[in-house]
Amino acid sequence: MDSSCSLWNSCIQPRNNARNNFQLKCSNGHPLNAVSSNDGVAGSSLAKEDSKTQQTEASFPLSDASECIGSNLSITVVGASGDLAKKKIFPALFALYYEDWLPENFIVYGYARTKMTDEELRNMISRTLTCRIDKRENCEDKMDQFLKRCFYHSGLYNSEDDFSDLDSKLKAKECGKDSNRLFYLSIPPNIFVDVVKCASLKASSRNGWTRVIVEKPFGRDSESSRDLTRRLKQYLTEEQIFRIDHYLGKELVENLSVLRFSNLVFEPLWCRNYIRNVQLIFSEDFGTEGRGGYFDNYGIIRDIMQNHLLQILALFAMETPVSLDAEDIRNEKVKVLRSMRQIQLEDVVVGQYKGHNKSGKSYPGYTDDPTVPKDSLTPTFAAAALFIDNARWDGVPFLMKAGKALHTRRAEIRVQFRHVPGNLYKRNFGTDLDKTTNELVLRVQPDEAIYLKINNKVPGLGMRLDRSDLNLLFRSRYPREIPDAYERLLLDAIEGERRLFIRSDELDAAWSLFTPLLKEIENKKIAPELYPYGSRGPVGAHYLAAKHNVRWGDLGIEE
Amino acid sequence: MATFCSTNCRSYHSLQPVSSPSSKLGHVLQHVTLSSSSASKRFLAAKVSLKSQPDSNQVAVHTHQHEQSDGAATVAAVPVDNDTTQKRLKAELLSVTSEEESRAEASSDKDENESVSITVVGASGDLAKKKIFPALFALYYEDCLPKHFTIFGYARSKMTDAELRNMVSKTLTCRIDKRENCGEKMEEFLKRCFYHSGQYDSQENFAALDKKLKEHENGRTSNRLFYLSIPPNIFIDAVKCASSSASSGNGWTRVIVEKPFGRDSESSAALTKSLKQYLHEDQIFRIDHYLGKELVENLSVLRFSNLIFEPLWTRQYIRNVQLIFSEDFGTEGRGGYFDNYGIIRDIMQNHLLQILALFAMETPVSLDAEDIRNEKVKVLRSMRPLELGNMVIGQYKSHTKGGVTYPGYTDDKTVPKGSLTPTFAAAALFIDNARWDGVPFLMKAGKALHKKGAEIRVQFRHVPGNLYNRNFGTDLDRATNELVIRVQPDEAIYLKINNKVPGLGMKLDRSHLNLHYAARYSKEIPDAYERLLLDAIEGERRLFIRSDELDAAWSLFTPVLKELEEKRVVPEYYPYGSRGPVGAHYLAARYNVRWGDLGIDLDQ
């Protein structure tokens, strides 16, 4: 065994242990996991392969595409020439490889219509790969080794023959061993079903698992979503479908549950007795920038609210699950979604950005985008007040806000607490009661942080109260790079951990909540409130908040 | 307004005439009727910064005798010239209005008629030099003293005014954050300092002082503050002379005394009784300088102005509370006084117990001094008598480290060779009331330890049914939340929470939500003595110990102190500069507690 081998060995073992521990806990004894035949083997076969194949690494033959290399995991990125694949999926796979999270003999296949050689694919990918800032050594070596495991197969998305060819190539590399196959569908939604059909019929694993990762949009309303699910299920079982919501892979969203369930100090606070309102805020500081074709058909509510923000809301508001198992968590999330009150049109504000000139520079409006119809009413901004009619949250407004072309880029969760009853220090605050309440902020991006706004005394001889932060800035406490959401989600899919993926019934419930509203907006042709590119969004959002006696936490004077 | 009092000290440019309570004062008046009472003179603060005027409600310091039930009204009473201004004040929250300006001008007339004379009795002593004069200067420097004030040093040494000024000037410093005019200000301050030499038990000498004071008061209303910076055995003499020969004729007379207030229940009661022969309760300001510390002041703010702490502050969530004091030096040749008292009397019975009472008290009716002190007394009276079994005592012994030999306690020449006086003590206390039943309050205080610090640690219970339990392994003590209030040095508040280590695995980590004062507040934090002196001048009694509090505190400790002395309990020895006797750990272990300051995950 050479040195690289023992190095690999020494670093993967502890991580695998850690990971396996957690996996054990998450999936242990869960009926669904136990029943799903093709998943049950995942963990064990991976672990087995890990130990079995370590010796072979040094002699890993990579030159010939058809050569048998005994791969035990094949990841096929369908739509390999697309933007998401280049920017997120391949870099995430490389990061996982770089940190030794992937099984020994994995291979990555790019699949798309474009004619390309393996070399050309490698060349394309290599431009977007980066190494972790905190450990750059061997970066080039690692990149080369990773690229040698990447192959390309050109084919049509609806051709069973082309997928058959892919299957043969995969088989050749697997040399008849147990092998698992993961398909990442990085393609437009209208061809989801074609690809799933071909892949499932012609390129499924014979003796391992086959899983498919799909990404939004999952339909555009209840009906189309249900239809998509129904058609996917013709070829796949529920356990094979991994619906990604990459926000659930964000570090602080993962941390949300940890904060809630592993800190006693938050436990009594997490209910209507103490929480006055919850705000889920997403903003981008750029517009569609010539890529409005897809967006215009969906709009910000479908693109951000119905999935990302609603998922975070469900995680935030759910009851304590029986365990951290995926099914237990998803059961609780569905319960939240089903307890939610129908969204009323008057509890929603929609906006659209317009052109704006600032210091000599002109920023285009949404409808100036050539890919967007001139008279489009598609909202690029929306704010909504939602309510959960259950014992824990009755009467607590959950405010969502999402927009493009705003003044900042950020995603955060803000929890505003109620006033101190009978506050002895009341007069110190003057009349601005909104400034006096505690607030817990989880900043998901950028610059991850958790902070709790508290009142304390300004040092000095007087008794002046000040609102300061008890804070945890991740960057300063954890200097190492935080993994991209896609890394976590890809790894989870490989390991069969479903906690962060959306189950069909969750998706249904999410659409049921938003579909009536979306239809009403479209039927009534509600004109969005226009706001300048780069501004703080339409003022309507403030009136919506005011109606529920809330003040947006992100637009205060302190920010 | 910033130029006026840019710091957040309570501006003190006006002093309302106490002796002639004007009817304009409205309902703030009640307390003015008391002999020693001063109305609050802080109304100018409205001009300075409304926000910085918190305690205008606290001006009604004597209200306990008059208007307990009227607390709300008092709270609302900004001491302005009439009732309606109060409403206007609210409306004008952020703007300085001409009205306020005019009030300010009006007040300067009153200012003209008021004077305060501060006599530091024992002016040549260490405390006076190191703390009292510098604190007075800092107050002056920040415009917190009234316009007409005079400072007199009084001691037995023969000294001229110039000599006193020379002595005082050596210890004065300016705030780091605003050095301009420092030299000038010092000059001006020193010009107001005078010296009078006299015996502490001589009525004639005090009468002579009175004469000098009168000259300086120049016919203005005279308010007199005596700071007794002298050994306890001459407290009474000085108080007697000062009160009978140098009291104010037409204003208030107040006396600040500092510990020790006796050495047990009996001697303390005797001291109080003697003092009260010459002074009323509300003329006596018993200082506990720990109560003047910034973070001790902040403790109540944290508790009562943050909703998130409200549900947590009970036995249901708090597993134990730790009050920790440590010094990294010994008696260093000054053991004479200490040996007669020991660490329990010197630190625990007063400083730590006071903090405990503030921490554990029920929400007071208001922030008025009497309301707060009433609640503190209730806590003290609910406490279970301290038993010898719940106490560990220690004494430091000499230790050689890196070639340097540190002397043991009994190596100090001023300490008797066979002394059993504890220089370290740890105790477990319990409050038998509904809120705290069963929650151990652990105290620890020691000299010659490995570090210097004072902190309050609140350890919370475990998360019931913790979903992440397995991630923590078996060390459950590391998994609980902890709130730490670091009083000194390097003031900070932080809450230890569990969170996920960023990365692909699921590893939990204990990190801090923290507020580090030095990082957030660049300005210097005032010394405890500044706050307390200012409070005494303003008649704000919140941070001073009332007689019944003192009684209750002694009742708690006297039996165990007597038992220690009668049984001649031998202290556990610990090396100079160490972490103290291990007995403290066993004491903690008995109540299923782990000291937070000696854990493996030490704080920044």
Side-chain angles (χ1 to χ4, degrees):
Chain A
M1 190 185 283
D2 70 5
S3 64
S4 74
C5 188
S6 57
L7 177 79
W8 185 86
N9 194 1
S10 66
C11 52
I12 194 151
Q13 278 327 91
R15 282 196 193 121
N16 263 358
N17 286 345
R19 188 83 193 176
N20 285 344
N21 276 346
F22 182 59
Q23 202 181 359
L24 196 72
K25 191 171 46 158
C26 292
S27 56
N28 198 12
H30 198 276
L32 223 163
N33 272 351
V35 168
S36 73
S37 55
N38 51 356
D39 290 342
V41 292
S44 58
S45 73
L46 279 179
K48 202 166 57 195
E49 286 300 317
D50 282 348
S51 52
K52 203 166 55 184
T53 54
Q54 274 158 22
Q55 296 99 330
T56 64
E57 200 215 29
S59 57
F60 190 83
L62 296 151
S63 48
D64 188 346
S66 64
E67 197 167 337
C68 155
I69 53 174
S71 73
N72 52 5
L73 172 67
S74 312
I75 300 161
T76 305
V77 180
V78 183
S81 51
D83 234 36
L84 181 73
K86 273 188 278 189
K87 283 194 192 150
K88 291 290 186 181
I89 305 172
F90 288 114
L93 286 170
F94 171 63
L96 289 174
Y97 170 72
Y98 187 61
E99 301 227 330
D100 292 331
W101 287 97
L102 292 180
E104 179 69 7
N105 290 324
F106 75 94
I107 52 168
V108 176
Y109 251 93
Y111 186 103
R113 283 174 305 192
T114 329
K115 297 277 175 217
M116 242 196 289
T117 63
D118 291 348
E119 261 330 298
E120 281 166 334
L121 175 86
R122 287 168 191 168
N123 192 28
M124 177 189 90
I125 294 174
S126 67
R127 281 181 228 131
T128 55
L129 301 189
T130 55
C131 291
R132 286 269 190 276
I133 290 161
D134 51 340
K135 33 180 210 171
R136 287 224 173 267
E137 82 274 22
N138 298 327
C139 186
E140 291 300 318
D141 281 355
K142 282 277 193 179
M143 261 192 211
D144 281 345
Q145 285 169 22
F146 175 77
L147 289 172
K148 281 183 194 156
R149 293 159 182 260
C150 294
F151 306 94
Y152 184 74
H153 183 73
S154 161
L156 294 171
Y157 293 125
N158 56 2
S159 157
E160 297 197 12
D161 293 344
D162 291 346
F163 274 92
S164 258
D165 291 346
L166 173 69
D167 184 55
S168 317
K169 286 192 181 171
L170 293 176
K171 270 203 191 117
K173 299 226 174 351
E174 289 161 1
C175 347
K177 284 191 183 166
D178 288 358
S179 181
N180 299 312
R181 293 186 182 172
L182 177 67
F183 290 89
Y184 198 119
L185 303 197
S186 176
I187 47 174
N190 57 327
I191 50 174
F192 276 0
V193 178
D194 287 339
V195 171
V196 164
K197 179 184 168 193
C198 300
S200 145
L201 294 178
K202 298 296 176 191
S204 278
S205 167
R206 303 295 180 283
N207 41 20
W209 49 253
T210 303
R211 293 176 190 150
V212 178
I213 297 180
V214 283
E215 213 167 341
K216 70 173 183 185
F218 311 124
R220 55 187 316 280
D221 52 25
S222 288
E223 295 74 27
S224 54
S225 164
R226 222 168 278 149
D227 186 53
L228 177 66
T229 300
R230 190 179 52 76
R231 288 164 63 198
L232 289 176
K233 286 203 179 168
Q234 288 185 302
Y235 308 103
L236 299 170
T237 58
E238 173 73 22
E239 295 77 47
Q240 291 182 284
I241 307 171
F242 283 71
R243 287 185 197 84
I244 235 173
D245 185 321
H246 69 267
Y247 261 73
L248 294 185
K250 299 262 181 198
E251 188 59 41
L252 280 211
V253 177
E254 272 274 80
N255 209 344
L256 180 59
S257 301
V258 175
L259 274 186
R260 269 193 75 183
F261 300 124
S262 73
N263 289 294
L264 186 72
V265 292
F266 294 124
E267 191 257 325
L269 303 174
W270 224 259
C271 66
R272 62 195 296 274
N273 289 346
Y274 293 98
I275 291 179
R276 191 165 57 142
N277 68 77
V278 179
Q279 303 178 8
L280 304 151
I281 297 169
F282 170 96
S283 60
E284 274 178 353
D285 54 2
F286 51 89
T288 50
E289 324 284 332
R291 297 165 167 274
Y294 158 77
F295 182 85
D296 194 66
N297 189 28
Y298 288 88
I300 197 84
I301 299 177
R302 291 185 177 91
D303 200 42
I304 304 292
M305 276 193 174
Q306 179 271 344
N307 37 48
H308 304 323
L309 296 189
L310 190 61
Q311 284 295 323
I312 295 175
L313 183 151
L315 262 183
F316 178 93
M318 71 180 180
E319 298 297 311
T320 310
V322 174
S323 77
L324 295 172
D325 287 1
E327 297 315 317
D328 287 331
I329 290 177
R330 297 195 289 186
N331 287 344
E332 294 303 332
K333 280 166 64 193
V334 171
K335 277 166 59 187
V336 171
L337 296 176
R338 291 184 47 216
S339 301
M340 290 181 77
R341 197 188 300 168
Q342 243 357 290
I343 306 170
Q344 304 299 314
L345 188 58
E346 62 261 29
D347 279 337
V348 175
V349 169
V350 292
Q352 192 184 79
Y353 65 92
K354 60 181 182 186
H356 182 55
N357 281 314
K358 202 163 57 179
S359 51
K361 204 166 171 224
S362 158
Y363 297 90
Y366 176 65
T367 52
D368 299 335
D369 189 322
T371 58
V372 168
K374 284 293 149 228
D375 56 351
S376 172
L377 295 179
T378 302
T380 62
F381 175 98
L386 293 90
F387 292 89
I388 306 172
D389 288 337
N390 67 13
R392 188 186 286 268
W393 298 115
D394 191 0
V396 178
F398 284 77
L399 268 75
M400 281 185 184
K401 189 165 72 168
K404 283 179 175 294
L406 294 172
H407 71 302
T408 68
R409 170 179 167 265
R410 75 162 94 191
E412 61 187 16
I413 307 164
R414 285 178 172 263
V415 186
Q416 293 187 342
F417 292 92
R418 292 188 184 278
H419 298 126
V420 175
N423 191 348
L424 292 170
Y425 295 87
K426 204 166 181 182
R427 277 189 329 128
N428 294 85
F429 293 115
T431 49
D432 191 356
L433 290 173
D434 273 308
K435 290 193 60 178
T436 73
T437 61
N438 294 128
E439 189 170 357
L440 175 69
V441 182
L442 304 177
R443 191 163 60 215
V444 176
Q445 70 182 29
D447 208 13
E448 292 85 349
I450 300 171
Y451 54 96
L452 182 61
K453 298 195 169 200
I454 57 159
N455 296 306
N456 70 299
K457 185 180 159 303
V458 176
L461 294 170
M463 173 61 83
R464 191 157 67 102
L465 299 205
D466 179 26
R467 205 165 181 224
S468 60
D469 298 339
L470 284 179
N471 65 52
L472 171 63
L473 186 62
F474 275 61
R475 193 185 43 198
S476 49
R477 172 150 177 107
Y478 303 106
R480 52 177 302 225
E481 218 172 324
I482 295 176
D484 188 77
Y486 281 93
E487 293 175 37
R488 185 191 317 282
L489 293 166
L490 273 163
L491 184 61
D492 280 350
I494 291 167
E495 298 193 346
E497 166 58 57
R498 291 172 174 73
R499 200 161 37 95
L500 301 179
F501 296 90
I502 322 277
R503 211 165 58 185
S504 302
D505 56 344
E506 280 188 90
L507 185 61
D508 258 5
W511 274 122
S512 310
L513 193 63
F514 277 94
T515 299
L517 170 76
L518 286 164
K519 292 207 164 142
E520 199 175 346
I521 290 176
E522 274 151 20
N523 293 343
K524 292 189 174 165
K525 292 196 173 300
I526 305 281
E529 193 177 330
L530 299 179
Y531 61 95
Y533 192 114
S535 71
R536 285 157 185 255
V539 291
H542 288 291
Y543 288 91
L544 174 66
K547 184 174 137 192
H548 297 287
N549 202 15
V550 174
R551 184 180 280 260
W552 289 106
D554 62 327
L555 297 178
I557 44 171
E558 301 164 60
E559 292 301 314
Chain B
M1 47 217 261
T3 57
F4 199 58
C5 189
S6 61
T7 64
N8 40 14
C9 86
R10 294 160 284 199
S11 171
Y12 196 103
H13 276 228
S14 64
L15 197 60
Q16 290 181 0
V18 176
S19 54
S20 56
S22 101
S23 57
K24 282 190 288 179
L25 279 172
H27 58 269
V28 189
L29 262 183
Q30 300 94 322
H31 63 271
V32 181
T33 55
L34 271 180
S35 60
S36 66
S37 66
S38 76
S40 167
K41 339 63 208 196
R42 299 188 208 159
F43 61 87
L44 249 205
K47 173 181 194 286
V48 175
S49 155
L50 265 185
K51 283 195 167 179
S52 73
Q53 256 335 289
D55 355 29
S56 26
N57 49 346
Q58 293 154 10
V59 296
V61 283
H62 320 279
T63 53
H64 63 297
Q65 302 178 16
H66 295 272
E67 41 158 37
Q68 283 287 31
S69 61
D70 199 20
T74 318
V75 168
V78 181
V80 290
D81 295 352
N82 60 57
D83 292 347
T84 54
T85 334
Q86 185 189 329
K87 287 175 199 151
R88 284 207 300 275
L89 270 179
K90 279 184 182 160
E92 294 156 2
L93 191 69
L94 294 172
S95 63
V96 182
T97 67
S98 56
E99 220 168 313
E100 281 159 0
E101 297 288 354
S102 59
R103 257 204 312 282
E105 277 159 32
S107 74
S108 61
D109 295 340
K110 291 170 198 153
D111 227 19
E112 285 302 321
N113 299 324
E114 287 282 325
S115 72
V116 172
S117 310
I118 301 158
T119 306
V120 181
V121 184
S124 50
D126 234 37
L127 180 74
K129 273 188 278 189
K130 284 195 194 148
K131 292 289 187 181
I132 305 172
F133 287 111
L136 286 169
F137 172 62
L139 289 174
Y140 172 72
Y141 187 60
E142 302 224 339
D143 289 329
C144 293
L145 290 181
K147 189 173 172 193
H148 297 289
F149 74 93
T150 312
I151 294 171
F152 257 91
Y154 186 103
R156 282 175 304 192
S157 341
K158 298 277 172 216
M159 240 195 294
T160 64
D161 291 347
E163 280 165 338
L164 174 90
R165 286 169 191 168
N166 190 32
M167 178 191 88
V168 170
S169 68
K170 285 184 206 129
T171 54
L172 300 188
T173 55
C174 290
R175 288 266 191 275
I176 291 163
D177 51 340
K178 34 176 210 172
R179 287 223 174 266
E180 82 273 23
N181 298 329
C182 187
E184 225 171 277
K185 283 273 192 180
M186 261 190 212
E187 283 304 308
E188 287 167 19
F189 175 77
L190 289 172
K191 277 187 202 149
R192 291 163 177 247
C193 293
F194 304 91
Y195 184 75
H196 183 74
S197 160
Q199 297 297 317
Y200 296 122
D201 56 356
S202 155
Q203 304 237 9
E204 291 82 47
N205 293 160
F206 274 93
L209 172 70
D210 183 58
K211 232 175 114 192
K212 284 193 185 170
L213 291 176
K214 280 212 176 90
E215 282 169 27
H216 286 283
E217 284 157 5
N218 197 15
R220 295 183 191 92
T221 306
S222 115
N223 296 304
R224 292 185 183 174
L225 178 66
F226 291 89
Y227 198 120
L228 302 197
S229 176
I230 47 175
N233 57 324
I234 49 175
F235 275 2
I236 304 293
D237 287 336
V239 164
K240 181 181 164 194
C241 299
S243 137
S244 47
S245 304
S247 275
S248 160
N250 52 3
W252 49 254
T253 303
R254 294 177 189 148
V255 177
I256 297 181
V257 283
E258 213 167 341
K259 71 173 181 183
F261 310 124
R263 57 188 315 280
D264 51 26
S265 290
E266 294 75 26
S267 53
S268 166
L271 177 66
T272 300
K273 190 162 152 273
S274 311
L275 287 176
K276 287 203 177 168
Q277 285 184 296
Y278 309 104
L279 300 169
H280 297 288
E281 171 71 24
D282 43 36
Q283 290 181 282
I284 307 171
F285 285 70
R286 287 185 197 84
I287 237 175
D288 184 322
H289 69 268
Y290 261 72
L291 294 184
K293 300 261 180 198
E294 187 60 40
L295 284 209
V296 176
E297 272 273 80
N298 206 350
L299 181 59
S300 299
V301 176
L302 274 185
R303 271 192 74 183
F304 300 124
S305 74
N306 290 294
L307 185 73
I308 52 168
F309 294 124
E310 191 258 324
L312 302 174
W313 225 259
T314 68
R315 61 195 297 274
Q316 205 180 341
Y317 292 99
I318 292 179
R319 192 166 55 142
N320 68 77
V321 179
Q322 304 177 8
L323 304 149
I324 299 169
F325 170 95
S326 52
E327 272 177 355
D328 55 1
F329 51 88
T331 50
E332 324 284 331
R334 297 163 165 274
Y337 159 76
F338 183 84
D339 194 67
N340 188 28
Y341 289 89
I343 196 86
I344 301 173
R345 291 185 179 91
D346 200 42
I347 304 292
M348 277 194 174
Q349 180 271 345
N350 38 48
H351 305 323
L352 296 188
L353 190 62
Q354 284 295 324
I355 295 175
L356 183 151
L358 263 183
F359 178 93
M361 71 182 181
E362 298 298 313
T363 310
V365 173
S366 79
L367 296 173
D368 286 0
E370 297 315 318
D371 288 330
I372 290 178
R373 298 194 288 185
N374 286 343
E375 294 303 332
K376 279 167 64 193
V377 171
K378 277 165 59 187
V379 171
L380 297 176
R381 291 185 46 217
S382 301
M383 290 181 76
R384 200 184 298 168
L386 185 55
E387 286 162 21
L388 194 55
N390 279 337
M391 185 132 223
V392 170
I393 57 170
Q395 191 185 83
Y396 64 92
K397 59 180 182 186
S398 82
H399 181 56
T400 305
K401 199 163 58 180
V404 183
T405 298
Y406 298 92
Y409 176 64
T410 51
D411 299 337
D412 190 322
K413 289 187 181 62
T414 57
V415 169
K417 282 295 151 229
S419 174
L420 295 178
T421 302
T423 62
F424 175 97
L429 293 98
F430 293 87
I431 305 171
D432 289 337
N433 67 15
R435 188 186 284 268
W436 298 115
D437 192 359
V439 178
F441 283 77
L442 268 74
M443 280 184 184
K444 190 164 72 166
K447 283 179 175 291
L449 293 171
H450 71 300
K451 65 175 181 184
K452 169 172 177 283
E455 59 188 18
I456 307 166
R457 288 177 171 263
V458 186
Q459 295 187 341
F460 292 91
R461 293 189 182 277
H462 298 127
V463 173
N466 190 347
L467 292 169
Y468 295 86
N469 220 350
R470 224 171 310 179
N471 294 79
F472 290 117
T474 48
D475 191 357
L476 289 172
D477 272 309
R478 293 197 53 184
T480 60
N481 294 128
E482 188 170 353
L483 175 70
V484 181
I485 299 172
R486 192 163 57 213
V487 177
Q488 69 180 32
D490 205 16
E491 292 85 348
I493 299 170
Y494 53 94
L495 180 63
K496 296 190 172 192
I497 57 160
N498 295 305
N499 70 299
K500 187 181 157 300
V501 176
L504 295 170
M506 175 59 82
K507 207 174 112 201
L508 299 205
D509 180 27
R510 207 167 181 219
S511 61
H512 298 168
L513 285 178
N514 66 50
L515 171 64
H516 183 215
Y517 271 56
R520 171 152 177 108
Y521 300 107
S522 53
K523 60 171 299 220
E524 218 172 321
I525 295 177
D527 187 78
Y529 282 92
E530 294 176 37
R531 185 190 318 281
L532 293 167
L533 273 164
L534 183 59
D535 280 350
I537 292 169
E538 298 192 348
E540 165 58 58
R541 289 166 174 76
R542 197 162 38 95
L543 302 179
F544 297 89
I545 321 281
R546 210 166 59 187
S547 300
D548 55 345
E549 281 188 271
L550 185 61
D551 270 1
W554 275 120
S555 308
L556 197 61
F557 277 92
T558 299
V560 78
L561 285 165
K562 291 206 165 145
E563 203 176 342
L564 281 172
E565 277 152 26
E566 275 156 21
K567 292 190 174 163
R568 300 190 56 75
V569 175
V570 178
E572 193 178 331
Y573 294 99
Y574 61 96
Y576 192 114
S578 70
R579 286 158 183 251
V582 291
H585 289 291
Y586 288 91
L587 176 67
R590 185 186 313 154
Y591 294 103
N592 202 16
V593 174
R594 187 180 278 264
W595 289 106
D597 61 330
L598 298 178
I600 39 175
D601 60 342
L602 278 185
D603 318 307
Q604 322 109 315

